[in-house]
Amino acid sequence: MTDDTDLSGLDYPSARAYALEFMTALKTAEKALEAARQEVRLWTDRAALAASKGMADLETAARAKAGEAEAKAASLEAEKADLARKITRIREKLPVLKASERSVDADLLLAELQMATGEALNPESAALAELDKTLQAGAADAALEELKRKLKGES
């Protein structure tokens, strides 16, 4: 059995369109339910009229039709309730889906930055540049130590 409220694999606009389809189905079910209720009233009134006129065979047939219409209305009522529950669950999931689309993809951001700096095109040169910085920092430390030794030697 599949879960009609599962929005995984859908982007936010598609999920909203999916929810709209359920809402449209709910409105259609509500209209059909109202028509079925009117049919129940019609056949109930006809059965009452036939009973008042003493036409038992027509009354029995009208009551049977009213029973069929009541069964149809009950089925539509259950369908309407099911659709309403599904719409509620989908509406609860939509904000979560929208929020997840706004979150930052760290890997994508890193790749974009690497492309902007050229590091992604030539990763070896980026590693070499980092090594040069390290060596230069080491050379500066060595020169500082040499200067300190000279100053201590002079004093």
Side-chain angles (χ1 to χ4, degrees), residues 4 10 12 20 28 30 36-37 41 46 49 57 63 68 70 76 78 81-82 84 122 143 145 147 151-152:
D4 291 340
L10 295 176
Y12 182 72
L20 186 60
T28 303
E30 286 173 348
R37 287 177 178 162
R41 285 190 293 273
R46 286 181 178 174
L49 180 63
D57 55 336
R63 293 214 184 275
E68 290 172 15
E70 285 174 354
L76 288 169
D82 183 49
N122 195 354
E145 289 300 319
L147 182 61
L151 289 174
K152 284 183 183 177

Side-chain angles (χ1 to χ4, degrees), residues 21-124:
E21 289 176 24
F22 273 95
M23 290 179 213
T24 303
L26 176 64
K27 289 297 179 187
T28 303
E30 286 173 348
K31 287 181 182 179
L33 177 61
E34 183 55 38
R37 287 177 178 162
Q38 287 178 353
E39 190 175 350
V40 169
R41 285 190 293 273
L42 173 72
W43 287 109
T44 303
D45 290 346
R46 286 181 178 174
L49 180 63
S52 70
K53 301 268 185 186
M55 302 175 168
D57 55 336
L58 289 179
E59 178 186 1
T60 304
R63 293 214 184 275
K65 287 283 194 180
E68 290 172 15
E70 285 174 354
K72 182 178 178 182
S75 171
L76 288 169
E77 186 70 44
E79 180 183 344
K80 177 186 163 197
D82 183 49
L83 286 169
R85 277 191 304 276
K86 288 178 181 180
I87 290 170
T88 301
R89 278 189 264 156
I90 290 172
R91 281 185 172 167
E92 290 169 354
K93 292 177 181 182
L94 278 175
V96 174
L97 185 62
K98 187 172 188 176
S100 70
E101 283 189 352
R102 284 187 289 194
S103 66
V104 175
D105 183 355
D107 293 330
L108 178 62
L109 184 58
L110 176 63
E112 288 174 353
L113 287 172
Q114 287 174 337
M115 289 297 292
T117 61
E119 184 180 339
L121 299 175
N122 195 354
E124 295 82 24

